[in-house]
Amino acid sequence: MATGRRIAVIGPHSGTRTLLMGSYFEQARSDAPTIPEALRVLNAGGPVDFHFGCQLMPNANLSAADLQTAVALAQAADYVVLALGISNPALESEGSDRPDTLLPACQSQLAAAVVAARPKAVVLVLVNGGILSIDELKESVPAIVEAFYPGDSGGTSIAESLFGVINRWGKLPVTIYPAGYSDLVGIHDYDMAKPPGRSYKYFTGQPLWPFGFGLSYTSFALAQPYVLPSRDLGADPQPFAVSVTVTNTGARSGDEVVFAYFVPVDLQDKDSLPPLPRRKLFAFRRVGLEAGQSTTVEFQVNPKRDLLLADLEGNTSLHPGRYRLEFTRGPGSESVTQEINFQGESIVVWPFPRA
């Protein structure tokens, strides 16, 4: 967003600092800025208005007066920040299950009206712990920030990121499923592999956003993606290093995250194992790079720590067979891969505790 413009912050998270903290904090610091306060500091004198729209409570209603006020603010603004979410113990908390992964109905109504009023000027900021399935908003909102619970400095971080003062965006630590997903899985069924599967390890459907997804104001690349020579670990696997080169190919500085996964390709004792994951994260590295800068990211791979799977008896072990290591910047990006062969006996690293 450009500074000096009129900004409207609309939604139940717009004028509160406590709700940015999540449900494990009784009170935010008194000097912790709200989202509108932080935007005002950086907006070079441009006006910043805010309106809650509707309450952050179960079954809250959106009154006609509040809707009219929100739409009027949106129409008068150059930019609209929709601050929505479920950061309230009455909506999500430990020991309380949500019936679905949707936004509260009043917030969905508020968002639809605001987006219709200023369809190309809206930035959606979500404040939440559990995932939110925003299928319709994904298609209609130009920009979306998943803030989760950003804490005391959340207002400042959101404002600095929206104005481009900083470019330190992250990657999703969860899979965000479409709205209908909660109807396909039983809340008391903990079989991760049961179709359609749970998490990036087993989910076979099309997520709204996959695990590891994230954007930036600049662009990155793994320099010269390639396939490393295969490696035979022998009977007693020892740690080894794998290095990949990351380059900032864009025009400004920024942060990038490199993920390290392993894929169990063909294991000899797979009959003693539960369904194998599609892949499994074992490390990641975050790097900050200036425009045009490159750096080498080294991963120390310890097979007895990083390539482990639990068997049907609960033992966590390294199993003989063929694996593939994948180093990538996220879903759909280029990758560096290496085949790993381990032909020894299974090595139990963490036995299942028994009485």
Side-chain angles (χ1 to χ4, degrees):
M1 299 193 309
T3 58
R5 308 295 178 84
R6 177 175 290 276
I7 301 173
V9 187
I10 299 171
H13 288 85
S14 61
T16 175
R17 55 180 55 86
T18 301
L19 293 178
L20 300 179
M21 302 295 295
S23 56
Y24 281 92
F25 292 85
E26 291 297 324
Q27 186 172 350
R29 289 194 343 255
S30 59
D31 61 342
T34 64
I35 296 174
E37 289 170 345
L39 289 169
R40 287 192 191 103
V41 170
L42 298 174
N43 197 28
V48 178
D49 307 308
F50 77 90
H51 181 63
F52 288 105
C54 61
Q55 292 184 323
L56 195 65
M57 294 294 291
N59 303 316
N61 293 317
L62 176 61
S63 70
D66 283 331
L67 180 60
Q68 184 177 12
T69 300
V71 169
L73 285 177
Q75 290 173 331
D78 296 298
Y79 301 113
V80 179
V81 177
L82 262 177
L84 309 179
I86 51 174
S87 177
N88 186 324
L91 293 172
E92 67 169 359
S93 64
E94 187 171 347
S96 177
D97 296 321
R98 291 187 288 157
D100 52 50
T101 55
L102 304 177
L103 277 170
C106 69
Q107 293 189 50
S108 294
Q109 296 167 10
L110 177 67
V114 169
V115 172
R118 293 291 279 126
K120 296 183 179 181
V122 176
V123 177
L124 172 61
V125 176
L126 296 174
V127 179
N128 51 290
I131 70 165
L132 287 169
S133 302
I134 52 168
D135 303 43
E136 293 183 3
L137 289 176
K138 178 183 178 181
E139 302 302 324
S140 59
V141 174
I144 300 172
V145 176
E146 174 53 89
F148 291 110
Y149 290 149
D152 286 273
S153 299
T156 299
S157 296
I158 290 168
E160 290 180 343
S161 297
L162 293 182
F163 281 125
V165 175
I166 60 175
N167 185 29
R168 305 195 66 232
W169 303 101
K171 300 295 180 79
L172 280 176
V174 293
T175 301
I176 298 184
Y177 304 103
Y181 178 80
S182 58
D183 297 326
L184 303 177
V185 295
I187 197 167
H188 298 296
D189 187 347
Y190 292 94
D191 184 347
M192 297 285 287
K194 184 176 180 180
R198 298 185 187 224
S199 84
Y200 74 94
K201 298 178 186 177
Y202 296 101
F203 183 54
T204 57
Q206 181 65 41
L208 281 185
W209 290 279
F211 176 90
F213 178 85
L215 300 176
S216 173
Y217 291 138
T218 189
S219 55
F220 298 90
L222 290 183
Q224 297 178 335
Y226 55 94
V227 178
L228 294 165
S230 62
R231 180 183 293 269
D232 191 343
L233 298 179
D236 184 23
Q238 299 300 310
F240 59 94
V242 177
S243 297
V244 296
T245 301
V246 187
T247 302
N248 182 341
T249 58
R252 60 165 299 171
S253 62
D255 283 14
E256 181 59 305
V257 178
V258 182
F259 300 90
Y261 294 92
F262 79 85
V263 178
V265 177
D266 185 18
L267 303 187
Q268 295 177 11
D269 55 353
K270 59 185 176 183
D271 291 341
S272 68
L273 299 172
L276 297 176
R278 304 172 71 196
R279 60 179 180 170
K280 187 175 179 182
L281 182 74
F282 68 87
F284 66 91
R285 299 285 186 274
R286 186 185 184 108
V287 295
L289 296 173
E290 298 297 323
Q293 183 184 8
S294 297
T295 190
T296 298
V297 181
E298 181 178 279
F299 292 91
Q300 289 291 330
V301 183
N302 184 344
K304 297 178 186 177
R305 177 195 64 197
D306 299 328
L307 308 184
L308 304 181
L309 294 167
D311 62 24
L312 292 172
E313 296 183 354
N315 302 309
T316 302
S317 309
L318 175 63
H319 299 271
R322 186 160 55 93
Y323 300 81
R324 183 172 64 253
L325 303 184
E326 295 181 349
F327 304 90
T328 177
R329 298 185 298 105
S333 75
E334 68 281 1
S335 63
V336 172
T337 62
Q338 182 177 36
E339 294 289 326
I340 300 294
N341 297 296
F342 168 49
Q343 300 304 325
E345 298 294 327
S346 292
I347 300 174
V348 177
V349 178
W350 297 322
F352 185 78
R354 290 175 172 80

